[in-house]
């Protein structure tokens, strides 16, 4: 498939891509059917994510979709603007930017929306939706991490209602006892205050999101007979039991058994997992992923995971914070086969689960690098001029051109396989002690682990890097991104909000602030921002010393995590991870604008089409890579949400 089309449509600040399912034709029929049913379960929870990301998201999406389908004058400028807005809503699972969390500004008029709502005889509260869409000051941010605010009250995400930050923290503090192996309290619930009483609305059958969860369970039940082994069937059964009861202890049991299953080619993630969308880092957004192992590429990650104890033992952190025995670390390169919920259409390129620290400590973790997504990113970026604009120096450019792709993948492997699974909390440390700063600190910890080790001679000996210089490409591009180029994703005058972006800024800015080191009796500046011909660039003067700075920061970040040092975490994040230099920000955005590259990318899923015989039995599952983003979202359009109009039929 040499003519595979990786790049698709572009709108707003978004570029849609396609990913190819390498080796799909090599899977057995049962594996394809298994993946197909799991894919249906992956799509079934879609409305949950929309609702979690904002209480009006589903109502707004449903209204816009109804207008979109009914509109006859499709060349009208207002309709075209509404179409772009709707596509952004599809992309972000709601009306807030998937990365920056700010509310979208509509380019169509309030009058147009009201007129179109009348045409379709809209029965909802149009005044309320108009206020949510057009009033920039009303519910302005999905996640608001601004210092000094009550982040629960100021965030528009739909995990809390009627409660403030202090009440939430007090509610879960009572649940956190001194006993070990506690569940991740609050992960699968909404916390509300009703009649003066605070209580949880649990996500489960018979509870919140009942209809969506029943649909997920239906497809999991269909998938179970095609599981590749008995352990995988056990895993699915436990997940179903958890969905039916909402019992977080069952989710931990499921997570442990999921870790034990290592032999199957097909694997999946389905549930309330990551907590980045909650300003307090407690509530899990719903996500789904179907995957299968890339057998050839997995040899790389197996080399890393097989040496996990060596990496842990030689980590530059205090020995008190190292794991004396690394358990259950597994890693593989996978092909994504279906993305859903918080993984669609913008997906992670690496995943390390489960998130519970006590499970990691006792049972280990599974890490994946999603090879076909990184491949799509690389193919789409080829020749776009980005590196030529922002990398300074011929020698550096040669390093980047030669080694950037392999080192990017390797850093992701190290981040996921080892970084998140490394280190340990001291006895008695609350896993949630860092509160709103926890996500940023954890991502910085994993990134620093990868940065420190990608320069290690051990990787050359293992054949993971080709020579002693390759790592320099990763050091340069990481510093360039964290200190300069990632700001193209942020509007002028705005702060950095997203945890991964904060992490990269924290590391790069801390290095620049601590760049003067003594070496050989003289003081040198390890890295700096320099100006050439009126443009600013990163310049690295001593790569070896830069590794030393990464080691020093890693040691401190691990101490903060292990001891639960909230004030130290707050200091690092507030000083280095949030604010942007307004002059540099404006310059970088202007230079980037001349390249005409969309700063954000997302994926259109392949359309899995079962082929059936005369008796209706599936005899193959074919892949269609031609579906448009519009058609895909209208195809996913189902009347599962309690806010959806009954009986609505998708196009």
């Amino acid at each position: 498939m040499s003519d595979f089309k990786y790049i698709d449509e572009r709108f707003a600040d978004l570029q849609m891509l396609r990913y190819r399912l390498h080796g799909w034709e090599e899977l057995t029929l049962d594996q394809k059917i298994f993946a197909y049913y799991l894919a249906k379960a992956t799509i079934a929870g879609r409305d949950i994510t929309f609702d979690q990301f904002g209480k009006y998201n589903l109502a707004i999406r449903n209204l816009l979709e109804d207008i979109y389908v009914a509109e006859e004058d499709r060349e009208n400028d207002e309709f075209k603007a509404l179409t772009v807005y709707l596509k952004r809503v599809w992309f972000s699972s709601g009306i807030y930017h998937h990365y920056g969390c700010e509310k979208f500004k509509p380019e169509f008029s309030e009058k147009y929306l009201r007129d179109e709502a009348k045409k379709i005889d809209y029965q909802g509260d149009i005044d309320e939706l108009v206020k949510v869409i057009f009033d920039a000051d009303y519910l302005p941010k999905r996640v608001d991490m601004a210092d000094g605010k009550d982040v629960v009250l100021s965030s528009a995400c739909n995990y809390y209602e009627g409660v403030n930050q202090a009440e939430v923290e007090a509610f879960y503090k009572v649940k956190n006892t001194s006993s070990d192996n506690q569940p991740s309290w609050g992960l699968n619930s909404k916390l509300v205050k009703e009649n003066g009483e605070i209580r949880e609305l649990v996500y489960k059958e018979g509870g919140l999101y009942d209809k969506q969860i029943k649909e997920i369970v239906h497809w999991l039940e269909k998938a179970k007979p095609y599981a590749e082994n008995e352990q995988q069937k056990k895993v699915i059964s436990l997940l179903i039991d958890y969905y039916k009861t909402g019992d977080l202890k069952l989710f931990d049991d499921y997570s442990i058994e999921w870790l034990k299953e290592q032999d199957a080619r097909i694997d999946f993630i389905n549930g309330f997992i990551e907590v980045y969308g909650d300003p307090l880092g407690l509530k899990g957004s719903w996500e789904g992923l179907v995957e299968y192992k890339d057998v050839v590429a997995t040899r790389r990650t197996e080399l890393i995971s097989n040496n996990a104890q060596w990496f842990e033992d030689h980590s530059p952190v205090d020995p008190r914070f190292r794991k004396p025995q690394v358990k259950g670390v597994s890693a593989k390169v996978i092909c994504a086969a279906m993305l859903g919920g918080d993984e669609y259409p913008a997906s992670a390129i690496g995943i390390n689960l489960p998130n519970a620290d006590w499970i990691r400590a006792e049972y280990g973790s599974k890490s994946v690098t999603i090879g076909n997504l990184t491949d799509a990113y690389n193919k789409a970026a080829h020749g776009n001029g980005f590196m030529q604009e922002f990398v300074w120096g011929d020698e550096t450019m040669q390093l980047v051109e030669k080694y950037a792709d392999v080192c990017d993948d390797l850093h992701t492997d190290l981040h996921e396989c080892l970084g998140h699974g490394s280190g340990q909390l001291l006895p008695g440390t609350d896993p949630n002690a860092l509160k709103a700063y926890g996500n940023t600190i954890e991502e910085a910890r994993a990134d620093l682990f990868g940065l420190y080790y990608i320069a290690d001679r051990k990787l050359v000996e293992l054949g993971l890097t080709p020579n002693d210089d390759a790592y320099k490409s990763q050091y340069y591009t990481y510093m360039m991104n964290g200190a300069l180029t990632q700001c193209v994703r942020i509007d002028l005058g705005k702060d950095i909000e997203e945890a991964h972006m904060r992490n990269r800024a924290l590391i790069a800015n801390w290095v620049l602030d601590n760049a003067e080191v003594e070496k050989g009796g003289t003081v040198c500046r390890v890295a700096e921002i320099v100006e050439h011909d009126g443009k600013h660039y990163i310049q690295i003067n001593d790569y070896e010393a830069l590794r030393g700075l990464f080691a020093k920061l890693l040691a401190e970040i691990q101490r903060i995590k292990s001891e639960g040092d909230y004030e130290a975490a707050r200091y690092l994040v507030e000083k280095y991870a949030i604010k942007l230099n307004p002059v540099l920000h404006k310059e970088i955005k202007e230079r980037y604008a001349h390249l005409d590259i969309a700063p954000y990318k997302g994926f259109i899923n392949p359309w899995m089409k079962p082929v059936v015989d005369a008796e209706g039995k599936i005899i193959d599952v074919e892949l269609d890579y031609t579906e448009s983003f519009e058609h895909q979202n209208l195809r996913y359009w189902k009347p599962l949400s309690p806010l959806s109009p009954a009986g609505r039929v998708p196009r």
Side-chain angles (χ1 to χ4, degrees):
M1 200 181 292
S2 59
D3 59 345
F4 185 85
K5 182 183 177 184
Y6 287 96
I7 300 175
D8 204 87
E9 71 169 302
R10 176 177 170 180
F11 53 90
D13 58 354
L14 306 167
Q15 176 68 64
M16 300 308 303
L17 306 176
R18 297 182 187 275
Y19 59 98
R20 179 182 172 186
L21 274 59
H22 305 282
W24 175 261
E25 62 281 353
E26 299 168 6
L27 300 180
T28 67
L29 177 58
D30 278 0
Q31 287 173 327
K32 289 180 180 179
I33 295 173
F34 186 44
Y36 169 71
Y37 285 136
L38 291 174
K40 298 289 280 186
T42 297
I43 297 167
R46 176 176 183 249
D47 281 359
I48 297 175
T49 313
F50 272 86
D51 193 60
Q52 288 180 313
F53 285 4
K55 67 180 293 184
Y56 297 99
N57 283 339
L58 282 171
I60 290 171
R61 189 197 76 190
N62 294 339
L63 170 62
L64 297 178
E65 286 174 336
D66 285 337
I67 293 172
Y68 181 83
V69 171
E71 179 60 78
E72 295 181 357
D73 182 8
R74 307 183 84 79
E75 296 304 314
N76 183 300
D77 287 342
E78 295 256 51
F79 175 75
K80 289 179 180 179
L82 181 140
T83 299
V84 172
Y85 187 89
L86 173 57
K87 288 180 178 181
R88 299 187 77 181
V89 168
W90 285 335
F91 192 100
S92 297
S93 296
I95 63 172
Y96 300 94
H97 197 282
H98 74 291
Y99 228 73
C101 294
E102 67 276 5
K103 188 161 64 175
F104 301 140
K105 180 182 178 181
E107 299 297 329
F108 55 92
S109 68
E110 177 183 332
K111 181 179 184 303
Y112 176 75
L113 184 65
R114 288 183 179 276
D115 289 347
E116 294 302 306
K118 286 180 182 178
K119 287 181 185 177
I120 63 171
D121 192 26
Y122 180 66
Q123 298 299 305
D125 188 342
I126 189 64
D127 292 332
E128 185 174 41
L129 297 193
V130 163
K131 179 177 177 62
V132 176
I133 293 171
F134 290 95
D135 186 342
D137 297 323
Y138 184 62
L139 303 175
K141 298 195 72 171
R142 176 166 64 89
V143 182
D144 188 351
M145 301 293 289
D147 189 35
K149 287 187 177 181
D150 182 315
V151 295
V152 169
L153 295 179
S154 63
S155 298
C157 55
N158 194 22
Y159 296 113
Y160 307 102
E161 192 160 349
V163 292
N164 60 36
Q165 182 176 346
E167 288 172 324
V168 175
E169 291 174 349
F171 182 88
Y172 288 110
K173 185 176 181 179
V174 172
K175 283 182 171 285
N176 279 311
T177 65
S178 59
S179 60
D180 295 330
N181 304 351
Q182 293 188 79
S184 301
W185 299 118
L187 187 69
N188 65 335
S189 66
K190 178 178 178 178
L191 197 67
V192 301
K193 183 191 286 186
E194 296 176 344
N195 300 319
E197 179 185 354
I198 298 176
R199 65 189 188 94
E200 288 183 301
L201 304 179
V202 178
Y203 311 149
K204 64 175 182 175
E205 284 195 7
L208 196 54
Y209 305 132
D210 169 70
K211 291 182 180 181
Q212 291 82 6
I213 289 173
K214 282 179 177 175
E215 181 80 357
I216 295 167
V217 168
H218 167 76
W219 292 111
L220 291 175
E221 294 277 18
K222 295 275 284 184
K224 189 164 67 170
Y226 295 93
E228 296 182 66
N229 53 53
E230 289 304 313
Q231 179 65 17
Q232 202 165 48
K233 290 180 182 178
K234 182 179 181 180
V235 168
I236 295 173
S237 295
L238 281 168
L239 180 57
I240 290 171
D241 290 344
Y242 160 65
Y243 270 136
K244 288 184 174 181
T245 64
D247 185 347
L248 283 169
K249 292 182 180 179
L250 277 176
F251 180 68
D252 286 346
D253 292 341
Y254 151 77
S255 299
I256 292 166
E257 296 303 322
W258 176 76
L259 278 173
K260 293 177 182 177
E261 201 298 294
Q262 299 287 340
D263 299 325
R265 182 85 184 271
I266 310 290
D267 203 352
F268 70 100
I269 296 166
N270 192 295
F272 306 99
I273 310 292
E274 301 293 356
V275 296
Y276 301 110
D278 173 11
L280 295 182
L282 297 170
K283 306 294 181 182
S285 59
W286 188 88
E287 67 180 59
L289 170 70
V290 184
E291 64 188 66
Y292 59 95
K293 187 187 296 185
D294 183 328
V295 176
V296 174
T298 292
R299 293 170 189 159
R300 179 182 78 230
T301 53
E302 286 175 343
L303 270 175
I304 294 171
S305 57
N306 289 342
N307 286 274
Q309 190 66 58
W310 184 93
F311 288 106
E312 185 76 4
D313 292 344
H314 291 80
S315 171
V317 306
D318 189 313
R320 294 179 303 144
F321 309 142
R322 298 181 198 151
K323 286 180 178 173
Q325 184 180 359
V326 178
K327 299 177 182 178
V329 174
S330 68
K332 57 188 175 183
V333 179
I334 58 129
C335 278
M338 189 62 60
L339 308 172
D342 201 10
E343 290 293 332
Y344 171 81
S347 171
I349 57 172
I351 297 170
N352 178 275
L353 291 173
N355 286 327
D357 284 295
W358 74 266
I359 297 179
R360 290 176 185 271
E362 292 191 22
Y363 298 95
S365 61
K366 269 188 191 178
S367 299
V368 298
T369 299
I370 311 179
N372 60 337
L373 298 192
T374 57
D375 179 59
Y377 280 128
N378 292 338
K379 294 285 199 311
H382 182 71
N384 66 9
F386 178 83
M387 292 299 181
Q388 288 74 15
E389 175 61 35
F390 291 106
V391 174
W392 174 258
D394 292 340
E395 183 178 350
T396 304
M397 179 60 74
Q398 289 172 14
L399 279 169
V400 169
E401 289 178 342
K402 198 169 185 179
Y403 301 120
D405 287 354
V406 66
C407 285
D408 280 348
D409 286 346
L410 187 55
H411 183 254
T412 301
D413 294 340
L414 292 166
H415 173 112
E416 301 295 348
C417 302
L418 301 178
H420 281 306
S422 67
Q424 63 179 355
L425 301 181
L426 291 183
T429 298
D430 181 355
N432 297 315
L434 304 183
K435 301 179 183 178
Y437 303 103
N439 288 331
T440 298
I441 292 297
E442 175 57 24
E443 291 304 321
R445 191 177 72 92
D447 259 2
L448 285 162
F449 199 96
L451 288 167
Y452 177 75
Y453 275 116
I454 200 169
D456 202 285
R457 180 68 191 175
K458 182 76 170 179
L459 298 193
V460 180
E461 294 171 2
L462 292 172
L464 294 170
T465 48
N467 55 52
D468 292 325
D469 289 326
Y471 80 92
K472 295 177 182 178
S473 68
Q474 182 66 19
Y475 275 23
Y476 189 90
T477 56
Y478 191 94
M479 288 292 296
M480 177 185 77
N481 187 34
L484 296 176
T485 56
Q486 73 169 0
C487 77
V488 301
R489 296 178 164 188
I490 301 172
D491 291 338
L492 294 176
K494 302 291 186 179
D495 292 335
I496 304 173
E497 297 283 354
E498 200 275 335
H500 296 80
M501 293 181 74
R502 283 186 168 189
N503 139 53
R504 292 187 286 267
L506 189 161
I507 293 171
N509 290 328
W510 182 93
V511 165
L512 292 171
D513 196 34
N514 293 271
E516 288 191 357
V517 300
E518 186 176 338
K519 193 170 183 180
T522 61
V523 175
C524 73
R525 178 161 285 277
V526 174
E528 57 190 322
I529 296 175
V530 297
E531 184 177 356
H532 296 286
D533 301 324
K535 296 180 179 180
H536 289 85
Y537 303 85
I538 280 289
Q539 180 172 298
I540 298 176
N541 302 314
D542 191 324
Y543 283 93
E544 182 182 357
L546 178 55
R547 188 190 186 210
L549 288 177
F550 288 147
K552 183 178 179 180
L553 183 56
L554 173 58
E556 173 61 4
I557 292 283
Q558 182 63 63
R559 183 199 67 78
I560 290 170
K561 170 89 173 180
S562 295
E563 295 181 349
D565 190 341
Y566 172 82
E567 286 303 324
R570 181 178 180 275
Y571 170 79
L572 284 178
V573 174
E574 295 292 339
K575 181 171 183 179
Y576 295 112
I578 297 175
K579 297 297 180 181
L580 290 164
N581 179 309
V583 176
L584 281 178
H585 190 186
K586 183 173 183 291
E587 176 203 318
I588 298 298
K589 283 183 73 73
E590 288 174 351
R591 289 163 64 187
Y592 187 82
H594 287 301
L595 298 174
D596 194 28
I597 304 170
Y600 299 98
K601 313 291 190 298
F603 293 97
I604 301 171
N605 280 324
W607 187 353
M608 290 187 182
K609 296 181 175 179
V611 180
V612 298
D613 61 15
E615 286 74 39
K617 182 180 178 181
I618 297 177
I619 57 173
D620 197 7
V621 179
E622 296 180 345
L623 302 175
D624 183 342
Y625 293 110
T626 65
E627 186 177 31
S628 69
F629 185 58
E630 165 208 354
H631 188 277
Q632 184 156 103
N633 278 275
L634 291 177
R635 180 167 61 86
Y636 291 168
W637 182 11
K638 289 185 177 182
L640 287 174
S641 167
L643 299 181
S644 298
R648 191 173 64 175
V649 180
R651 226 183 198 176

